[in-house]
């Protein structure tokens, strides 16, 4: 009899509805943790009102992040229930130390739209530790605290304050279990910041980009394809993709400071679908594989090896291809959609679409070595940069030099100028790297083994690579304002021996 009663309850329409609803609600937190970066560096982009309606009606994306406080976008997303992260420009940071200015900023840029527009995070600057001067870096946490104080004094207590970081904040990530933040930043800036985020329940925002760690021998590991995985002998965890490795490196670095309880947000990550001839990794198939694998992972809610089942809010980069963005073709082709809202590829973010299955490996792979983190800023170029710091990918042969010698598939990396880099860019990078950066520029001076050929490009190549090698061989050290790239062939010639 009890069994009959139970059966009737289970099959009743009300119980069935509640049962299905409970399953849906359990899955919802993971689905709703998927966001997108909405960049606007294009002259053919649709108006924000159409963008808001499209995301609401057609996609599963319910969070956006913008790189400014765009009043038209904030107005357009009112009453859509789509969460918005706004960004305060880097140049505002010194001004925000004044509570009066911070309150006026909130009154002008936040209060007119809140709560009709679901603003949930204010990002103070973008990748400040990567790009800005020590003077601005040292004001960052105070600016965050003052802005938060201005919000609460204005009667707003649901908006969090944070700031996104490139993975240049890491001293090491190889293996993730031994990762740590860079000395100096760890205690002086990141620990006080994490303390503030703990107090205010704000997220620690990072920009993990496996794309910048591209190595043709590790492509399946980078693209969420089937692979043998990477084993961390210290944590006894096996990694099936680089995204997890980077997040766990951040987690362990936070844990070393005692702040592993603070939520982590992947504020930017993505893969371009088209690039220059020296960017062969930029294909539609690769972009679909990476972003599709990422969506599949985030929706599943499985977390990472060191953070199992932990919700990692993730923002894909980016919403649209942006045709006026500076840099190589890759920079203009990170979009999930074209300006007419047609998808560049399918990754399961349209309502009613299925998630992509796990793609087969590109080719049989040996057990890959642990890769390094490769952060790079993907948003609009920050307001101020300390000097011609500059990112990476393959590059040209140096003029009047023999062709570079081939290396093995897991060989060394070198930092070289990109083909389109101008002499003016390279001279600026050369001057910067040879001034108080610890680079020995003697070999490219008259009489030095690398003086000939006596060209800006040849000299810059040697100096860029020297800087890259002595600063830790992270791909973000081969940046130089987008004028340099990583190559896998040794450019040494004659008596000119490049550091490796």
């Amino acid at each position: 009899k009890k069994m009959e009663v139970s059966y009737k309850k289970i099959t009743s329409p009300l119980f069935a509805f509640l049962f299905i609803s409970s399953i849906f609600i359990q899955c919802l937190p993971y689905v709703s943790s998927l966001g997108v970066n909405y960049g606007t560096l294009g002259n053919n982009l649709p108006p924000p009102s159409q963008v808001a309606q499209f995301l609401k009606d057609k996609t599963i994306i319910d969070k956006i992040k913008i790189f400014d406080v765009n009043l038209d976008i904030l107005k357009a997303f009112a009453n859509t229930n789509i969460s918005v992260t706004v960004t305060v420009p880097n140049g505002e940071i010194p001004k925000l130390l004044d509570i009066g200015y911070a309150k006026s900023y909130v009154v002008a840029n936040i209060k007119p739209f809140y709560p009709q527009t679901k603003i949930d995070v204010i990002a103070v600057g973008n990748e400040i530790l990567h790009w800005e001067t020590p003077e601005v870096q040292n004001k960052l946490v105070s600016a965050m605290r003052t802005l938060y104080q201005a919000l609460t004094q204005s009667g707003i207590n649901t908006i969090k304050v944070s700031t996104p970081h490139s993975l240049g904040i890491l001293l090491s990530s190889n293996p993730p279990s031994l990762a740590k933040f860079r000395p100096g930043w760890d205690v002086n800036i990141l620990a006080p910041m994490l303390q503030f985020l703990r107090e205010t329940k704000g997220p620690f925002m990072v920009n993990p980009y496996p794309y910048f760690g591209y190595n043709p021998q590790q492509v399946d590991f980078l693209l969420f394809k089937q692979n043998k995985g990477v084993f961390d002998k210290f944590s006894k965890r096996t990694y099936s993709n680089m995204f997890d490795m980077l997040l766990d490196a951040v987690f362990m670095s936070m844990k070393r400071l005692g702040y592993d309880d603070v939520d982590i947000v992947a504020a930017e990550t993505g893969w371009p679908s088209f690039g220059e001839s020296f960017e062969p990794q930029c294909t539609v198939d690769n972009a679909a594989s990476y972003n599709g694998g990422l969506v599949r992972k985030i929706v599943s809610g499985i977390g990472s090896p060191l953070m199992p089942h932990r919700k990692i809010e993730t923002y894909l980069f980016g919403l649209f291809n942006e045709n006026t963005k500076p840099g190589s073709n890759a920079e203009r082709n990170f979009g999930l959609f074209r300006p007419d809202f047609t998808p560049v590829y399918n990754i399961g973010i349209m309502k009613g679409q299925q998630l992509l299955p796990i793609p087969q490996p590109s080719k049989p792979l040996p057990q890959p070595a642990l890769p390094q983190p490769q952060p790079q800023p993907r948003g609009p170029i920050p307001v101020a940069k300390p000097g011609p710091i500059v990112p990476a990918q393959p590059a040209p042969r140096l003029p009047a030099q023999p062709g570079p010698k081939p290396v093995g598939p897991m060989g060394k990396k070198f930092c070289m100028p990109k083909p389109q880099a101008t002499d003016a860019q390279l001279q600026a990078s050369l001057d910067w790297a040879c001034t108080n950066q610890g680079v020995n520029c003697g070999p490219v001076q008259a009489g030095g083994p690398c003086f000939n050929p006596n060209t800006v490009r040849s000299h810059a190549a040697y100096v860029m690579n020297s800087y890259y090698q002595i600063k830790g061989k992270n791909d973000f050290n081969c940046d130089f304002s987008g004028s340099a790239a990583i190559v896998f062939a040794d450019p040494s010639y004659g008596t000119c021996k490049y550091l490796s």
Side-chain angles (χ1 to χ4, degrees):
K1 186 66 177 175
K2 288 182 180 178
M3 291 178 66
E4 290 178 14
V5 172
S6 298
Y7 181 77
K8 288 177 181 177
K9 287 181 179 178
I10 290 173
T11 56
S12 69
L14 176 61
F15 187 92
F17 172 77
L18 293 174
F19 179 73
I20 293 171
S21 298
S22 68
I23 295 175
F24 177 76
I25 289 170
Q26 289 176 39
C27 296
L28 186 60
Y30 300 113
V31 175
S32 66
S33 65
L34 184 65
V36 67
N37 285 272
Y38 177 6
T40 56
L41 297 180
N43 58 19
N44 57 357
L45 299 181
S49 57
Q50 291 182 18
V51 175
Q53 202 65 41
F54 171 73
L55 291 180
K56 179 183 177 183
D57 295 344
K58 303 295 185 181
T59 77
I60 65 171
I61 291 169
D62 65 354
K63 295 178 183 292
I64 66 166
K65 176 171 159 283
I66 59 178
F67 294 96
D68 50 17
V69 184
N70 186 307
L71 306 187
D72 291 334
I73 292 177
L74 291 180
K75 188 184 301 182
F77 278 81
N79 304 309
T80 60
N81 204 36
I82 294 174
S83 297
V84 181
T85 293
V86 301
T87 304
V88 177
N90 292 13
E92 296 289 323
I93 289 173
K95 304 175 192 174
L96 287 177
L97 297 182
D98 177 78
I99 185 63
Y101 183 86
K103 289 174 73 171
S104 67
Y105 194 91
V106 169
V107 167
N109 296 288
I110 305 299
K111 289 205 76 171
F113 309 98
Y114 176 85
Q116 293 83 6
T117 300
K118 195 175 174 183
I119 303 170
D120 57 358
V121 177
I122 300 177
V124 178
N126 187 42
E127 299 190 330
I128 300 300
L129 299 187
H130 188 108
W131 292 113
E132 289 293 346
T133 62
E135 180 184 8
V136 177
Q137 294 169 359
N138 291 330
K139 293 176 178 177
L140 178 57
V141 177
S142 296
M144 293 167 65
R145 283 191 175 275
T146 306
L147 182 58
Y148 187 82
Q149 183 183 355
L151 286 168
T152 56
Q153 290 183 7
S154 301
I156 299 174
N157 55 18
T158 60
I159 297 179
K160 309 303 181 187
V161 174
S162 188
T163 186
H165 301 282
S166 82
L167 294 198
I169 58 174
L170 299 177
L171 177 65
S172 64
S173 69
N174 181 357
S177 56
L178 300 183
K180 61 179 68 174
F181 292 128
R182 289 186 178 275
W185 288 350
D186 56 353
V187 174
N188 297 328
I189 297 177
L190 294 172
M193 182 183 297
L194 288 164
Q195 178 62 34
F196 163 74
L197 295 175
R198 173 185 281 168
E199 293 168 4
T200 59
K201 296 181 170 56
F204 188 66
M205 304 174 77
V206 294
N207 297 340
Y209 274 97
Y211 163 70
F212 289 102
Y214 175 73
N215 182 324
Q217 298 303 312
Q218 296 175 324
V219 64
D220 294 332
F221 186 72
L222 300 177
L223 295 177
F224 291 95
K225 294 184 177 183
Q226 293 181 7
N227 63 88
K228 294 182 179 180
V230 171
F231 182 67
D232 183 339
K233 66 180 181 181
F234 298 100
S235 66
K236 310 300 183 187
R237 304 295 201 279
T238 297
Y239 289 85
S240 62
N241 63 83
M242 188 173 178
F243 180 78
D244 279 350
M245 286 187 64
L246 297 179
L247 285 183
D248 276 359
V250 172
F251 171 75
M252 284 303 301
S253 300
M254 295 166 66
K255 187 171 185 177
R256 291 186 196 289
L257 295 179
Y259 293 98
D260 51 312
D261 57 311
V262 175
D263 286 339
I264 297 173
V265 166
E268 285 184 41
T269 188
W271 198 285
S273 60
F274 182 72
E276 307 284 357
S277 59
F278 56 85
E279 297 169 316
Q281 69 273 36
C282 304
T283 67
V284 168
D285 286 346
N286 284 354
S289 180
Y290 178 77
N291 286 320
L294 188 63
V295 171
R296 184 174 60 246
K297 172 186 174 53
I298 298 303
V299 170
S300 73
I302 59 176
S304 67
L306 294 180
M307 297 181 286
H309 308 298
R310 184 162 169 177
K311 174 183 171 182
I312 304 293
E313 199 169 278
T314 300
Y315 291 78
L316 299 174
F317 190 92
L319 182 55
F320 295 111
N321 285 335
E322 300 172 73
N323 69 344
T324 63
K325 193 171 182 184
S328 73
N329 271 329
E331 290 295 327
R332 294 182 285 278
N333 288 278
F334 269 89
L336 301 173
F337 297 96
R338 303 178 185 91
D340 63 357
F341 295 111
T342 58
V344 179
Y345 42 81
N346 167 35
I347 56 170
I349 60 173
M350 305 300 289
K351 287 182 177 176
Q353 276 184 347
Q354 293 185 340
L355 299 177
L356 292 186
I358 299 176
Q360 294 298 311
S362 305
K363 56 188 175 182
L365 286 181
Q367 181 81 6
L370 286 168
Q372 296 284 346
Q374 315 302 339
Q376 292 293 343
R378 298 266 48 79
I381 295 175
V383 174
K385 298 181 183 178
I389 314 176
V390 281
Q393 248 52 50
R397 295 183 179 184
L398 301 181
Q401 292 178 192
K405 298 180 285 294
V407 293
M410 301 304 291
K412 301 170 182 177
K413 291 183 178 182
F414 300 86
C415 180
M416 293 288 105
K418 287 182 177 178
Q420 76 274 27
T422 65
D423 279 358
Q425 288 177 304
L426 297 178
Q427 186 64 57
S429 298
L430 181 62
D431 294 341
W432 177 80
C434 288
T435 306
N436 300 320
Q437 297 301 322
V439 177
N440 176 17
C441 295
V444 298
Q445 295 172 357
C450 302
F451 177 71
N452 289 316
N454 183 16
T455 64
V456 172
R457 179 172 292 272
S458 179
H459 293 177
Y462 180 85
V463 170
M464 284 174 165
N465 181 69
S466 297
Y467 177 86
Y468 166 74
Q469 301 293 341
I470 68 173
K471 295 298 182 180
K473 303 182 183 180
N474 300 302
D475 283 19
F476 54 83
N477 296 128
C478 183
D479 178 8
F480 300 99
S481 301
S483 64
I486 295 295
V487 299
F488 300 96
D490 188 345
S492 298
Y493 61 96
T495 59
C496 181
K497 304 300 181 185
Y498 277 61
L499 297 181
S500 62

